[in-house]
Amino acid sequence: MSKREIYNFSPGPAALPKEVVLKVKQELADYAGLGYSILEMSHRSKTFVKIIEDCKRKLLNFLNLASGYHVLFFQGGATTEFFRVAYNLLGAGKTADYLETGVWVKKAIQEANNVSQVKVVASSKDEGFSYIPPLDGVEFSPEAEYIYLCSNNTVVGTQYKTFPKPHHGNYLVGDFTSDILSRECDLKDFGVIFAGAQKNLGPAGLVVVILRDDVLKKCRTDISGINSYLTMQEQNSLYNTAPVFQIYFMNLVLDWLEEQGGVKNISKTNAQKASMLYDVIDEHDLFVPTASREHRSLMNVTFKIAREDLTDLFVREAEEVGLVNLKGHRLVGGIRVSNYNAMPLSGIEKLCDFMKKFSQKN
Ligand code: PMP
């Protein structure tokens, strides 16, 4: 433990619950008295299969999707899902509608277009992705297999407050990498939900996919192997060597979340933390918010310093008092405060205090 308390606002890999990191440290050399570590255990062992089953059950319970859904674990990060989702659900002659709200959707569109031709039905590119396009005006395609969106745009700091309604029997596909389990929302219209682990779930490298049963049944049967959802489901995500450490870690994060009172409680804390930050931004002319007010993210709070030459000083002085990794994404600059589940209220209080003092001084 460092002597001074450090608050890590990294966008991802992000701060993990301290209690979980310490528990992992404690049981790393000898898992459950077996005499060896989780890192050295067969992914097909009884012990690990129990971990994977527990992890799936807890995740679905937290999302209120306990029945009629499947959980798959893949290696390779959320980016690999951009391709895989299209590969499994599109194929020859099929198309999908994409809502372009930032770099992560742009990449998803690029990957989907390697499989089939998809349509961008709305975009906020014109204003640097600083808002979520209004959904009323969107002309969705009757033939679209699914509507694709990114729930929280990590780079620019925008977040959907409501989701579009599926139509013509299609369904939503959502990238929830940076806000899964952070707020209560009805996810029943989603046929596929996926999330890279490195923000609210655990260590990087793991991507979790939640598939609604009817959508699993629509997956292509003419493909097989590691990229086939059907194969992975049949093999309980053990088609090849599973990322045992990441899944074990995630399972512990879910226990921690339960101890925090589940999604219901943590969502209240997240909203409180975000509103404290936005209040400070709104009350000080030195801070200029970059995301449109109605789409402000509760997870990634972005702003610029009115005197841009002070941005580096802000980052440096924050670091000196233990508030680290606040620099904005290289594409947008400014400041980004990542406020994931594991960020304690005390971290945000300290940051708000620092911001007020910084504004007074400058
Ligand atoms: N989607 C979103 C919303 C993200 O924030 C990120 C990464 N920050 C990704 C996808 C890509 O994740 P990965 O680096 O795990 O492939």
Side-chain angles (χ1 to χ4, degrees):
M1 277 288 268
S2 54
K3 287 192 201 94
R4 189 178 49 157
E5 179 103 63
I6 297 290
Y7 292 106
N8 174 13
F9 296 94
S10 168
L16 294 162
K18 280 240 158 38
E19 298 89 325
V20 177
V21 174
L22 292 174
K23 185 171 168 65
V24 170
K25 182 182 171 195
Q26 185 202 337
E27 63 186 23
L28 191 60
D30 181 0
Y31 183 78
L34 290 171
Y36 54 96
S37 79
I38 193 83
L39 297 167
E40 302 157 291
M41 188 179 294
S42 165
H43 54 297
R44 300 187 195 283
S45 63
K46 256 196 194 150
T47 308
F48 184 72
V49 170
K50 171 150 185 354
I51 292 175
I52 217 172
E53 290 303 335
D54 283 353
C55 194
K56 288 186 335 190
R57 178 179 40 77
K58 289 174 204 167
L59 178 65
L60 290 179
N61 279 337
F62 278 135
L63 296 170
N64 282 324
L65 302 176
S67 74
Y69 291 81
H70 308 270
V71 180
L72 308 180
F73 298 97
F74 289 92
Q75 305 193 31
T79 303
T80 57
E81 229 40 62
F82 298 162
F83 160 74
R84 205 177 278 122
V85 79
Y87 184 56
N88 278 271
L89 292 162
L90 297 181
K94 285 196 177 177
T95 186
D97 285 347
Y98 277 64
L99 298 165
E100 191 187 42
T101 53
V103 290
W104 301 115
V105 184
K106 271 173 79 170
K107 287 192 172 178
I109 293 165
Q110 187 190 345
E111 291 285 349
N113 277 333
N114 285 329
V115 174
S116 180
Q117 194 64 40
V118 301
K119 200 166 155 194
V120 179
V121 287
S123 174
S124 49
K125 198 157 104 192
D126 58 345
E127 290 188 27
F129 298 118
S130 60
Y131 67 101
I132 302 280
L135 298 171
D136 333 342
V138 178
E139 276 188 40
F140 291 105
S141 325
E143 68 279 14
E145 173 66 22
Y146 58 77
I147 300 166
Y148 182 102
L149 61 87
C150 178
S151 170
N152 182 73
N153 296 280
T154 326
V155 172
V156 286
T158 62
Q159 188 174 33
Y160 280 85
K161 304 299 165 185
T162 55
F163 298 114
K165 273 276 153 216
H167 54 86
H168 299 93
N170 70 10
Y171 49 89
L172 306 179
V173 170
D175 174 358
F176 281 77
T177 297
S178 51
D179 67 350
I180 192 162
L181 299 180
S182 70
R183 56 174 172 158
E184 288 191 289
C185 41
D186 184 353
L187 298 169
K188 299 264 176 357
D189 285 336
F190 286 86
V192 185
I193 291 164
F194 69 87
Q198 65 271 27
K199 288 113 174 25
N200 275 334
L201 299 176
L206 173 70
V207 54
V208 179
V209 182
I210 298 141
L211 278 164
R212 209 170 65 195
D213 192 49
D214 60 310
V215 174
L216 177 73
K217 293 196 175 104
K218 293 178 90 176
C219 285
R220 278 171 67 182
T221 52
D222 61 329
I223 58 172
S224 61
I226 186 66
N227 286 313
S228 156
Y229 285 154
L230 280 166
T231 303
M232 271 306 243
Q233 159 59 16
E234 278 158 20
Q235 308 263 335
N236 193 22
S237 299
L238 301 172
Y239 177 77
N240 71 333
T241 309
V244 287
F245 181 75
Q246 279 90 337
I247 296 170
Y248 148 80
F249 201 114
M250 175 177 159
N251 192 37
L252 294 180
V253 170
L254 297 183
D255 288 340
W256 172 86
L257 183 57
E258 184 67 41
E259 286 158 20
Q260 311 309 304
V263 178
K264 195 179 165 110
N265 252 1
I266 210 121
S267 69
K268 286 189 199 137
T269 314
N270 287 337
Q272 185 192 354
K273 290 182 292 171
S275 95
M276 283 165 62
L277 283 165
Y278 285 119
D279 282 350
V280 176
I281 294 169
D282 290 339
E283 284 158 11
H284 296 83
D285 292 341
L286 188 66
F287 306 125
V288 184
T290 46
S292 79
R293 182 175 287 270
E294 68 270 41
H295 306 121
R296 287 174 166 181
S297 166
L298 303 184
M299 293 283 98
N300 308 98
V301 175
T302 52
F303 61 95
K304 294 211 168 176
I305 311 285
R307 282 179 50 200
E308 283 205 23
D309 57 313
L310 293 179
T311 308
D312 287 346
L313 184 70
F314 181 98
V315 172
R316 223 175 31 245
E317 289 193 351
E319 235 169 69
E320 281 164 15
V321 294
L323 305 166
V324 304
N325 296 319
L326 285 162
K327 211 174 165 61
H329 191 277
R330 61 189 186 284
L331 292 175
V332 290
I335 304 293
R336 171 172 48 173
V337 185
S338 292
N339 176 38
Y340 302 121
N341 287 355
M343 176 53 61
L345 184 61
S346 55
I348 300 296
E349 281 167 349
K350 187 164 177 185
L351 176 58
C352 287
D353 198 40
F354 167 80
M355 286 168 69
K356 287 179 199 163
K357 285 186 186 136
F358 187 86
S359 167
Q360 264 160 23
K361 267 198 314 187
N362 297 285

